[in-house]
Coordinates of all heavy atoms in Angstrom, one line a residue:
M1 N 127.3 -24.8 19.7 CA 128.0 -24.1 20.8 C 129.2 -24.8 21.3 O 129.2 -26.1 21.5 CB 126.9 -23.8 21.8 CG 127.3 -22.4 22.6 SD 126.1 -22.0 23.7 CE 126.9 -22.1 25.2
N2 N 130.2 -24.1 21.4 CA 131.4 -24.6 21.9 C 131.5 -24.7 23.5 O 131.6 -23.6 24.0 CB 132.6 -24.0 21.3 CG 133.9 -24.6 21.6 OD1 134.0 -25.5 22.4 ND2 135.0 -24.2 20.9
D3 N 131.6 -25.8 24.1 CA 131.6 -25.8 25.6 C 132.9 -25.2 26.2 O 132.8 -24.7 27.2 CB 131.6 -27.3 26.0 CG 130.3 -28.0 25.9 OD1 129.2 -27.2 25.7 OD2 130.0 -29.0 26.1
K4 N 133.8 -25.1 25.4 CA 135.1 -24.6 25.9 C 134.9 -23.0 26.3 O 135.6 -22.5 27.1 CB 136.3 -24.5 24.8 CG 136.8 -25.9 24.5 CD 137.9 -26.2 25.3 CE 138.5 -27.6 25.0 NZ 139.2 -28.2 26.1
V5 N 134.0 -22.4 25.7 CA 133.7 -20.9 25.9 C 133.3 -20.9 27.4 O 133.7 -19.9 28.0 CB 132.5 -20.5 24.9 CG1 132.3 -19.1 25.3 CG2 133.1 -20.6 23.5
N6 N 132.7 -21.8 27.9 CA 132.1 -21.7 29.3 C 133.2 -22.3 30.2 O 132.9 -22.4 31.5 CB 130.8 -22.4 29.4 CG 129.8 -21.6 28.6 OD1 129.8 -20.4 28.7 ND2 128.9 -22.3 28.0
E7 N 134.3 -22.6 29.9 CA 135.4 -23.2 30.8 C 136.2 -22.2 31.5 O 136.6 -21.1 30.8 CB 136.2 -24.2 30.2 CG 135.6 -25.5 29.8 CD 136.5 -26.6 29.5 OE1 137.6 -26.4 29.0 OE2 136.0 -27.8 29.5
R8 N 136.4 -22.3 32.7 CA 137.1 -21.3 33.4 C 138.2 -22.2 34.3 O 137.9 -23.3 34.6 CB 136.4 -20.6 34.4 CG 135.2 -19.7 33.7 CD 135.9 -18.5 33.1 NE 134.8 -17.7 32.4 CZ 134.3 -17.9 31.2 NH1 134.6 -18.8 30.4 NH2 133.4 -17.0 30.8
M9 N 139.3 -21.4 34.6 CA 140.3 -22.1 35.5 C 140.1 -22.0 36.9 O 139.9 -20.8 37.4 CB 141.7 -21.7 34.9 CG 142.8 -22.5 35.7 SD 144.4 -21.9 35.0 CE 144.5 -20.3 35.9
C10 N 140.2 -23.0 37.7 CA 140.2 -23.0 39.2 C 141.5 -22.3 39.6 O 142.6 -22.8 39.1 CB 140.1 -24.5 39.8 SG 140.4 -24.4 41.5
V11 N 141.5 -21.3 40.4 CA 142.7 -20.5 40.7 C 143.5 -21.4 41.6 O 144.7 -21.0 41.7 CB 142.3 -19.2 41.3 CG1 141.9 -19.4 42.8 CG2 143.5 -18.2 41.3
V12 N 143.2 -22.4 42.2 CA 143.9 -23.2 43.1 C 144.7 -24.4 42.4 O 145.8 -24.5 42.3 CB 143.1 -23.6 44.3 CG1 144.0 -24.5 45.2 CG2 142.5 -22.5 45.0
C13 N 143.8 -25.2 41.8 CA 144.3 -26.5 41.2 C 144.7 -26.2 39.7 O 145.4 -27.1 39.0 CB 143.5 -27.7 41.4 SG 141.9 -27.5 40.5
R14 N 144.2 -25.2 39.2 CA 144.5 -24.8 37.8 C 143.9 -25.8 36.7 O 144.5 -25.8 35.6 CB 146.0 -24.5 37.5 CG 146.5 -23.6 38.5 CD 147.8 -22.8 38.2 NE 148.1 -21.6 39.0 CZ 147.8 -20.4 38.7 NH1 147.3 -20.1 37.5 NH2 148.0 -19.4 39.5
N15 N 143.0 -26.6 37.1 CA 142.2 -27.3 36.2 C 141.1 -26.6 35.5 O 140.6 -25.6 36.1 CB 141.6 -28.6 36.8 CG 142.7 -29.6 37.2 OD1 143.7 -29.8 36.4 ND2 142.6 -30.1 38.3
M16 N 140.7 -26.9 34.3 CA 139.6 -26.1 33.6 C 138.3 -26.9 33.9 O 138.3 -28.1 33.9 CB 139.8 -26.1 32.2 CG 141.1 -25.5 31.7 SD 141.1 -23.7 32.2 CE 140.0 -23.1 30.9
Y17 N 137.3 -26.1 34.3 CA 135.9 -26.8 34.5 C 134.9 -25.8 33.8 O 135.1 -24.6 33.5 CB 135.6 -26.7 35.9 CG 136.4 -27.8 36.7 CD1 137.6 -27.3 37.4 CD2 136.2 -29.0 36.7 CE1 138.4 -28.0 38.1 CE2 137.0 -29.9 37.6 CZ 138.1 -29.4 38.2 OH 139.0 -30.2 38.9
N18 N 133.7 -26.4 33.5 CA 132.6 -25.6 33.1 C 132.3 -24.5 34.3 O 132.3 -24.9 35.4 CB 131.5 -26.4 32.7 CG 130.2 -25.6 32.2 OD1 129.7 -24.8 32.9 ND2 130.0 -25.9 30.9
K19 N 132.0 -23.4 33.9 CA 131.8 -22.4 34.9 C 130.6 -22.8 35.8 O 130.6 -22.2 37.0 CB 131.8 -21.0 34.4 CG 130.6 -20.6 33.7 CD 130.8 -19.1 33.2 CE 129.6 -18.8 32.4 NZ 129.7 -17.4 32.0
N20 N 129.7 -23.5 35.3 CA 128.5 -23.8 36.1 C 129.0 -24.8 37.4 O 128.2 -24.7 38.3 CB 127.6 -24.7 35.4 CG 126.9 -23.9 34.3 OD1 126.9 -22.6 34.4 ND2 126.6 -24.6 33.2
K21 N 130.1 -25.3 37.2 CA 130.6 -26.2 38.3 C 131.5 -25.4 39.2 O 131.9 -26.0 40.3 CB 131.4 -27.4 37.8 CG 130.6 -28.3 36.8 CD 129.8 -29.2 37.7 CE 129.1 -30.1 36.7 NZ 127.9 -30.8 37.4
L22 N 131.8 -24.2 38.9 CA 132.8 -23.4 39.8 C 132.0 -22.4 40.6 O 131.0 -21.9 40.3 CB 133.8 -22.7 38.8 CG 134.6 -23.7 37.9 CD1 135.3 -22.9 36.9 CD2 135.7 -24.4 38.8
L23 N 132.7 -22.1 41.7 CA 132.3 -21.0 42.6 C 133.0 -19.8 42.1 O 134.2 -19.8 42.0 CB 132.6 -21.3 44.0 CG 132.1 -20.4 45.0 CD1 130.6 -20.5 45.3 CD2 132.8 -20.7 46.3
R24 N 132.2 -18.7 41.9 CA 132.9 -17.4 41.4 C 132.9 -16.5 42.7 O 131.9 -16.3 43.3 CB 132.2 -16.7 40.4 CG 132.9 -15.5 39.9 CD 132.3 -14.9 38.6 NE 133.2 -13.9 38.0 CZ 133.1 -12.6 38.3 NH1 132.1 -12.1 39.0 NH2 134.0 -11.7 37.8
I25 N 134.1 -16.0 42.9 CA 134.2 -15.0 44.0 C 134.6 -13.7 43.4 O 135.5 -13.7 42.6 CB 135.3 -15.5 45.1 CG1 134.9 -16.8 45.7 CG2 135.4 -14.4 46.2 CD1 135.8 -17.4 46.4
A26 N 133.9 -12.6 43.6 CA 134.1 -11.4 43.0 C 134.4 -10.3 44.1 O 133.8 -10.4 45.1 CB 132.9 -11.0 42.2
K27 N 135.3 -9.4 43.7 CA 135.4 -8.2 44.5 C 134.8 -7.0 43.8 O 135.2 -6.6 42.7 CB 136.9 -8.1 44.7 CG 137.3 -7.2 45.7 CD 138.7 -7.1 46.1 CE 139.1 -6.4 47.4 NZ 138.8 -4.9 47.2
I28 N 134.1 -6.4 44.6 CA 133.3 -5.1 44.2 C 133.6 -4.1 45.1 O 133.2 -4.1 46.4 CB 131.8 -5.4 43.9 CG1 131.5 -6.4 43.0 CG2 131.2 -4.1 43.7 CD1 130.2 -7.1 43.0
K29 N 134.3 -3.0 44.7 CA 134.7 -2.0 45.6 C 135.5 -2.6 46.7 O 136.4 -3.4 46.6 CB 133.6 -1.1 46.1 CG 133.1 -0.4 44.8 CD 132.0 0.6 45.2 CE 131.5 1.3 43.9 NZ 130.2 2.0 44.1
D30 N 135.0 -2.4 48.0 CA 135.8 -3.1 49.1 C 135.1 -4.4 49.7 O 135.6 -4.8 50.7 CB 135.9 -2.1 50.3 CG 136.8 -0.9 49.7 OD1 137.9 -1.2 49.0 OD2 136.7 0.3 50.2
S31 N 134.1 -4.9 48.9 CA 133.6 -6.1 49.6 C 133.7 -7.4 48.6 O 133.8 -7.2 47.4 CB 132.1 -5.9 49.9 OG 131.4 -5.4 48.7
V32 N 133.9 -8.4 49.3 CA 134.1 -9.7 48.6 C 132.8 -10.5 48.6 O 132.2 -10.7 49.8 CB 135.3 -10.4 49.1 CG1 135.5 -11.8 48.5 CG2 136.6 -9.7 48.9
I33 N 132.3 -10.9 47.5 CA 131.0 -11.7 47.6 C 131.3 -13.0 46.8 O 132.0 -13.1 46.0 CB 129.9 -10.9 46.9 CG1 130.2 -10.5 45.5 CG2 129.6 -9.6 47.8 CD1 128.9 -10.3 44.7
I34 N 130.4 -13.9 47.1 CA 130.2 -15.1 46.3 C 129.2 -14.8 45.2 O 128.0 -14.4 45.5 CB 129.8 -16.3 47.1 CG1 131.0 -16.6 48.1 CG2 129.5 -17.5 46.3 CD1 130.6 -17.8 49.0
D35 N 129.7 -14.9 44.0 CA 128.7 -14.3 42.8 C 128.1 -15.6 42.3 O 128.5 -16.2 41.4 CB 129.7 -13.7 41.8 CG 128.9 -13.1 40.6 OD1 127.8 -13.0 40.8 OD2 129.7 -12.7 39.7
E36 N 126.9 -15.8 42.8 CA 126.2 -17.0 42.5 C 125.8 -17.1 41.1 O 125.5 -18.0 40.5 CB 125.1 -17.3 43.5 CG 125.5 -17.7 44.8 CD 124.3 -18.2 45.7 OE1 123.9 -19.3 45.5 OE2 123.9 -17.4 46.5
N37 N 125.4 -15.8 40.6 CA 124.7 -15.7 39.3 C 125.6 -15.2 38.2 O 125.2 -15.0 37.0 CB 123.4 -14.9 39.3 CG 122.5 -15.6 40.3 OD1 122.2 -16.8 40.2 ND2 122.0 -14.9 41.3
Y38 N 126.9 -15.1 38.5 CA 127.9 -14.7 37.6 C 127.6 -13.4 36.8 O 127.8 -13.2 35.7 CB 128.2 -15.9 36.4 CG 128.3 -17.1 37.1 CD1 127.2 -18.1 37.2 CD2 129.7 -17.6 37.6 CE1 127.6 -19.4 37.7 CE2 129.9 -18.8 38.0 CZ 128.9 -19.7 38.1 OH 128.9 -20.9 38.8
I39 N 127.0 -12.4 37.6 CA 126.6 -11.2 37.0 C 127.2 -10.0 37.6 O 126.9 -9.0 37.0 CB 125.0 -11.1 37.2 CG1 124.6 -11.2 38.7 CG2 124.3 -12.0 36.3 CD1 123.3 -10.6 38.9
S40 N 128.0 -10.1 38.6 CA 128.4 -8.9 39.3 C 129.6 -8.1 38.6 O 129.7 -7.0 38.8 CB 128.8 -9.2 40.6 OG 130.0 -9.9 40.6
G41 N 130.2 -8.8 37.6 CA 131.3 -8.1 37.1 C 132.4 -7.9 38.2 O 132.6 -8.7 39.1
G42 N 133.2 -6.9 37.9 CA 134.3 -6.7 38.8 C 135.4 -7.7 38.7 O 135.4 -8.6 37.9
R43 N 136.3 -7.7 39.7 CA 137.3 -8.7 39.5 C 137.0 -10.1 40.1 O 136.3 -9.9 41.2 CB 138.7 -8.2 40.3 CG 139.3 -7.1 39.6 CD 140.7 -6.8 40.2 NE 141.5 -8.0 40.2 CZ 142.7 -8.0 40.8 NH1 143.2 -7.1 41.6 NH2 143.4 -9.1 40.8
G44 N 137.2 -11.1 39.5 CA 136.8 -12.3 40.1 C 137.7 -13.5 39.9 O 138.7 -13.4 39.1
L45 N 137.5 -14.5 40.6 CA 138.2 -15.8 40.4 C 137.3 -17.0 40.7 O 136.2 -16.8 41.2 CB 139.4 -15.8 41.4 CG 139.3 -15.6 42.9 CD1 138.8 -16.8 43.6 CD2 140.6 -15.2 43.4
Y46 N 137.8 -18.1 40.2 CA 136.9 -19.3 40.3 C 137.6 -20.4 41.1 O 138.8 -20.5 41.0 CB 136.8 -19.8 38.9 CG 135.9 -19.0 38.0 CD1 136.5 -17.9 37.2 CD2 134.5 -19.2 37.9 CE1 135.6 -17.1 36.4 CE2 133.7 -18.3 37.1 CZ 134.3 -17.3 36.3 OH 133.4 -16.5 35.7
I47 N 136.7 -21.0 41.9 CA 137.3 -22.2 42.7 C 136.4 -23.3 42.5 O 135.1 -23.2 42.4 CB 137.3 -21.7 44.2 CG1 138.5 -20.7 44.4 CG2 137.5 -23.0 45.1 CD1 138.7 -20.2 45.7
C48 N 137.0 -24.6 42.3 CA 136.2 -25.7 41.8 C 135.6 -26.6 42.9 O 134.7 -27.3 42.7 CB 137.1 -26.6 40.9 SG 138.4 -27.5 41.8
S49 N 136.2 -26.5 44.1 CA 135.7 -27.4 45.1 C 136.1 -26.8 46.5 O 136.9 -25.9 46.7 CB 136.4 -28.8 45.0 OG 137.7 -28.7 45.4
I50 N 135.4 -27.4 47.5 CA 135.6 -26.9 48.8 C 137.1 -27.3 49.3 O 137.8 -26.5 50.1 CB 134.6 -27.4 49.9 CG1 134.6 -26.7 51.1 CG2 134.8 -29.0 50.1 CD1 134.1 -25.2 51.0
D51 N 137.6 -28.4 48.7 CA 139.1 -28.7 49.0 C 139.8 -27.5 48.5 O 140.9 -27.1 49.3 CB 139.5 -30.0 48.4 CG 138.9 -31.2 49.2 OD1 138.5 -31.0 50.3 OD2 138.9 -32.4 48.6
C52 N 139.7 -27.1 47.3 CA 140.5 -26.0 46.8 C 140.1 -24.7 47.5 O 141.1 -23.9 47.8 CB 140.2 -25.9 45.4 SG 141.1 -26.9 44.2
F53 N 138.9 -24.6 48.0 CA 138.7 -23.3 48.9 C 139.5 -23.4 50.1 O 140.1 -22.5 50.6 CB 137.2 -23.3 49.1 CG 136.8 -21.9 49.6 CD1 136.2 -20.9 48.8 CD2 136.8 -21.5 51.0 CE1 135.9 -19.6 49.2 CE2 136.7 -20.3 51.3 CZ 136.1 -19.3 50.5
R54 N 139.5 -24.6 50.7 CA 140.3 -24.7 52.0 C 141.8 -24.4 51.7 O 142.5 -23.8 52.5 CB 140.1 -26.2 52.4 CG 140.4 -26.5 53.8 CD 140.0 -27.8 54.3 NE 138.6 -27.9 54.6 CZ 137.7 -28.8 54.1 NH1 138.2 -29.8 53.3 NH2 136.5 -28.9 54.5
K55 N 142.4 -25.0 50.6 CA 143.7 -24.8 50.3 C 144.0 -23.3 50.1 O 145.1 -22.7 50.5 CB 144.2 -25.5 49.0 CG 144.6 -26.9 49.2 CD 145.0 -27.6 48.0 CE 144.7 -29.1 48.0 NZ 144.5 -29.7 46.7
A56 N 143.0 -22.6 49.4 CA 143.2 -21.2 49.2 C 143.2 -20.4 50.5 O 144.0 -19.4 50.7 CB 142.1 -20.7 48.2
T57 N 142.4 -20.9 51.5 CA 142.4 -20.2 52.8 C 143.7 -20.4 53.5 O 144.3 -19.5 54.0 CB 141.3 -20.9 53.6 OG1 140.0 -20.8 52.9 CG2 141.1 -20.1 54.9
E58 N 144.3 -21.6 53.3 CA 145.6 -21.9 53.9 C 146.7 -21.3 53.3 O 147.7 -20.9 53.8 CB 145.8 -23.5 53.9 CG 144.9 -24.2 54.9 CD 144.7 -25.6 54.6 OE1 145.4 -26.2 53.6 OE2 144.0 -26.4 55.3
N59 N 146.6 -21.0 51.9 CA 147.7 -20.6 51.2 C 147.7 -19.0 51.0 O 148.5 -18.5 50.3 CB 147.8 -21.2 49.8 CG 148.2 -22.6 49.9 OD1 148.7 -23.1 51.0 ND2 147.9 -23.4 48.9
K60 N 146.7 -18.4 51.5 CA 146.5 -17.0 51.0 C 147.6 -16.0 51.4 O 147.9 -15.1 50.8 CB 145.2 -16.5 51.6 CG 145.1 -16.4 53.2 CD 143.7 -15.9 53.5 CE 143.6 -16.0 55.0 NZ 142.2 -15.6 55.4
K61 N 148.4 -16.4 52.5 CA 149.5 -15.7 52.8 C 150.7 -15.6 51.8 O 151.4 -14.7 51.6 CB 150.2 -16.1 54.1 CG 149.4 -15.9 55.4 CD 150.2 -16.1 56.7 CE 149.2 -16.1 57.8 NZ 148.6 -17.4 58.1
M62 N 150.6 -16.7 50.9 CA 151.6 -16.8 49.9 C 151.2 -16.3 48.6 O 151.9 -16.0 47.6 CB 152.0 -18.3 49.7 CG 152.7 -18.9 50.8 SD 152.3 -20.5 51.2 CE 152.5 -21.4 49.7
N63 N 149.9 -16.0 48.4 CA 149.3 -15.6 47.2 C 148.5 -14.4 47.3 O 147.4 -14.3 47.9 CB 148.5 -16.7 46.7 CG 147.9 -16.6 45.2 OD1 147.8 -15.4 44.9 ND2 147.9 -17.5 44.5
R64 N 149.1 -13.3 46.7 CA 148.5 -12.0 46.9 C 147.1 -12.0 46.3 O 146.1 -11.3 46.8 CB 149.3 -10.9 46.3 CG 150.5 -10.5 47.2 CD 151.4 -9.5 46.5 NE 150.8 -8.3 46.2 CZ 151.1 -7.5 45.3 NH1 152.2 -7.8 44.5 NH2 150.5 -6.3 45.1
A65 N 147.0 -12.7 45.1 CA 145.6 -12.7 44.5 C 144.6 -13.3 45.4 O 143.5 -12.8 45.5 CB 145.7 -13.4 43.2
L66 N 145.0 -14.4 46.1 CA 143.9 -15.0 47.0 C 143.6 -14.3 48.2 O 142.6 -14.1 48.7 CB 144.5 -16.4 47.4 CG 144.5 -17.5 46.2 CD1 145.2 -18.7 46.8 CD2 143.2 -17.8 45.6
K67 N 144.8 -13.7 48.8 CA 144.6 -12.8 49.9 C 143.6 -11.8 49.7 O 142.8 -11.4 50.6 CB 146.0 -12.3 50.4 CG 146.0 -11.5 51.6 CD 147.3 -10.9 52.0 CE 147.3 -10.3 53.4 NZ 148.6 -9.5 53.5
F68 N 143.6 -11.3 48.6 CA 142.7 -10.1 48.1 C 141.2 -10.6 48.2 O 140.3 -10.0 48.5 CB 143.1 -9.9 46.7 CG 142.6 -8.6 46.2 CD1 142.8 -7.4 46.8 CD2 141.8 -8.7 45.0 CE1 142.3 -6.3 46.2 CE2 141.3 -7.4 44.4 CZ 141.5 -6.3 45.1
F69 N 141.0 -11.9 47.9 CA 139.6 -12.4 47.8 C 139.2 -13.3 48.9 O 138.0 -13.3 49.3 CB 139.5 -13.3 46.4 CG 139.5 -12.4 45.2 CD1 140.6 -12.2 44.5 CD2 138.3 -11.9 44.8 CE1 140.4 -11.6 43.3 CE2 138.3 -11.1 43.7 CZ 139.4 -10.9 43.0
I70 N 140.0 -14.2 49.4 CA 139.5 -15.2 50.3 C 139.4 -14.8 51.7 O 140.4 -14.2 52.2 CB 140.4 -16.4 50.3 CG1 140.5 -16.9 48.8 CG2 139.9 -17.6 51.1 CD1 139.4 -17.5 48.1
N71 N 138.3 -14.8 52.3 CA 138.3 -14.6 53.9 C 137.4 -15.7 54.4 O 136.5 -16.4 53.9 CB 137.9 -13.2 54.2 CG 136.5 -13.0 53.8 OD1 135.5 -13.5 54.2 ND2 136.4 -12.0 52.8
D72 N 137.7 -16.0 55.7 CA 137.1 -17.0 56.5 C 135.7 -17.1 56.5 O 134.9 -18.0 56.5 CB 137.7 -17.1 57.9 CG 139.2 -17.4 57.7 OD1 139.6 -18.0 56.8 OD2 139.9 -17.2 58.8
S73 N 135.1 -15.8 56.5 CA 133.5 -15.7 56.6 C 132.9 -16.2 55.3 O 131.8 -16.4 55.3 CB 133.2 -14.2 56.8 OG 133.5 -13.3 55.7
L74 N 133.6 -16.3 54.3 CA 133.0 -16.9 53.0 C 133.0 -18.4 53.1 O 132.2 -18.9 52.2 CB 133.8 -16.5 51.8 CG 133.8 -14.9 51.4 CD1 134.6 -14.7 50.1 CD2 132.3 -14.5 51.0
F75 N 133.7 -18.9 53.9 CA 133.9 -20.5 53.9 C 132.7 -21.2 53.9 O 132.4 -22.2 53.0 CB 134.9 -20.8 54.8 CG 135.4 -22.2 54.7 CD1 136.5 -22.5 53.8 CD2 134.8 -23.4 55.4 CE1 136.8 -23.8 53.6 CE2 135.2 -24.6 55.1 CZ 136.2 -24.9 54.3
E76 N 131.7 -20.9 54.9 CA 130.6 -21.7 55.1 C 129.6 -21.5 53.9 O 129.1 -22.5 53.4 CB 129.8 -21.2 56.3 CG 130.1 -22.0 57.5 CD 129.3 -21.5 58.7 OE1 128.1 -21.3 58.5 OE2 129.8 -21.4 59.8
K77 N 129.4 -20.4 53.3 CA 128.6 -20.0 52.2 C 129.3 -20.8 51.0 O 128.5 -21.6 50.4 CB 128.6 -18.5 51.9 CG 127.6 -18.2 50.8 CD 126.3 -17.5 51.3 CE 125.3 -17.5 50.3 NZ 125.5 -16.6 49.2
A78 N 130.5 -20.8 50.9 CA 131.2 -21.5 49.8 C 131.0 -23.0 49.8 O 130.6 -23.7 48.8 CB 132.6 -21.2 49.8
E79 N 131.1 -23.5 50.9 CA 130.9 -24.9 51.2 C 129.5 -25.3 50.9 O 129.1 -26.4 50.1 CB 131.2 -25.4 52.6 CG 131.1 -26.9 52.9 CD 131.7 -27.2 54.3 OE1 131.6 -26.4 55.2 OE2 132.5 -28.2 54.3
E80 N 128.5 -24.5 51.3 CA 127.1 -24.7 51.0 C 126.8 -24.9 49.5 O 126.2 -25.7 49.0 CB 126.2 -23.7 51.6 CG 124.8 -23.9 51.7 CD 124.1 -22.6 52.3 OE1 124.5 -22.2 53.5 OE2 123.2 -22.0 51.7
I81 N 127.3 -23.8 48.8 CA 127.0 -23.7 47.3 C 127.8 -24.8 46.6 O 127.2 -25.4 45.8 CB 127.5 -22.3 46.9 CG1 126.6 -21.2 47.4 CG2 127.5 -22.3 45.3 CD1 127.1 -19.9 47.2
L82 N 129.1 -25.1 46.9 CA 129.8 -26.1 46.3 C 129.2 -27.5 46.4 O 129.0 -28.3 45.6 CB 131.2 -26.1 46.7 CG 132.0 -24.9 46.0 CD1 133.3 -24.6 46.8 CD2 132.3 -25.2 44.6
N83 N 128.7 -27.7 47.6 CA 128.0 -28.9 47.9 C 126.7 -29.2 47.1 O 126.3 -30.2 46.7 CB 127.7 -29.2 49.4 CG 128.8 -29.5 50.2 OD1 129.9 -30.0 49.7 ND2 128.7 -29.2 51.5
G84 N 126.1 -28.0 46.9 CA 124.9 -28.0 46.0 C 125.2 -28.3 44.6 O 124.3 -28.7 43.9
K85 N 126.4 -28.1 44.2 CA 126.6 -28.4 42.7 C 127.0 -29.8 42.5 O 127.3 -30.2 41.3 CB 128.0 -27.4 42.4 CG 127.7 -26.0 42.2 CD 128.8 -25.1 41.9 CE 128.6 -23.6 42.0 NZ 127.7 -23.3 40.8
R86 N 127.2 -30.6 43.6 CA 127.7 -31.9 43.4 C 126.5 -32.9 43.2 O 125.4 -32.6 43.6 CB 128.4 -32.5 44.7 CG 129.8 -31.8 44.8 CD 130.8 -32.3 43.7 NE 131.9 -31.4 43.8 CZ 132.2 -30.4 43.0 NH1 131.3 -30.1 42.0 NH2 133.3 -29.8 43.0
Ligands
ZN101 ZN1 140.4 -26.5 42.0

């Protein structure tokens, strides 16, 4: 099995990581969720670390894709999950 298949790009730093290390955020209809099990489908993006999540939060005004997904209420949950991956 090729590991590259499971690599995804962090939307903030644009490095490639195995998706197990990444936080997936998905948008389903009008709600944004943290997709812990990678099963929800819909539009999604990947973030590799809480630092990147923080940058995304700070930069969302400049990036329409991020503005679409990132909101402050997700931050605590994101931090908890990303810390769990370390
Ligand atoms: Zn990153």
Side-chain angles (χ1 to χ4, degrees):
M1 205 172 118
N2 189 345
D3 283 350
K4 291 264 180 211
V5 174
N6 289 319
E7 287 195 342
R8 299 289 183 274
M9 188 175 72
C10 171
V11 74
V12 180
C13 66
R14 307 204 166 258
N15 290 318
M16 300 295 290
Y17 297 94
N18 187 291
K19 69 178 183 181
N20 295 331
K21 299 285 182 195
L22 298 168
L23 184 74
R24 184 169 192 265
I25 299 170
K27 188 166 193 294
I28 298 163
K29 295 184 179 163
D30 289 327
S31 56
V32 176
I33 61 154
I34 292 176
D35 184 11
E36 289 187 75
N37 299 310
Y38 310 100
I39 55 166
S40 68
R43 288 191 60 188
L45 52 77
Y46 292 88
I47 290 184
C48 73
S49 67
I50 199 64
D51 286 343
C52 280
F53 196 95
R54 200 172 281 130
K55 274 182 208 155
T57 307
E58 288 162 4
N59 292 341
K60 65 185 173 183
K61 290 191 191 81
M62 288 140 59
N63 186 323
R64 285 174 60 208
L66 293 176
K67 187 181 178 187
F68 195 60
F69 282 101
I70 305 292
N71 65 61
D72 295 338
S73 66
L74 288 178
F75 192 85
E76 262 184 41
K77 183 107 197 284
E79 186 168 35
E80 190 183 307
I81 293 168
L82 284 163
N83 283 340
K85 290 178 185 292
R86 291 294 167 261

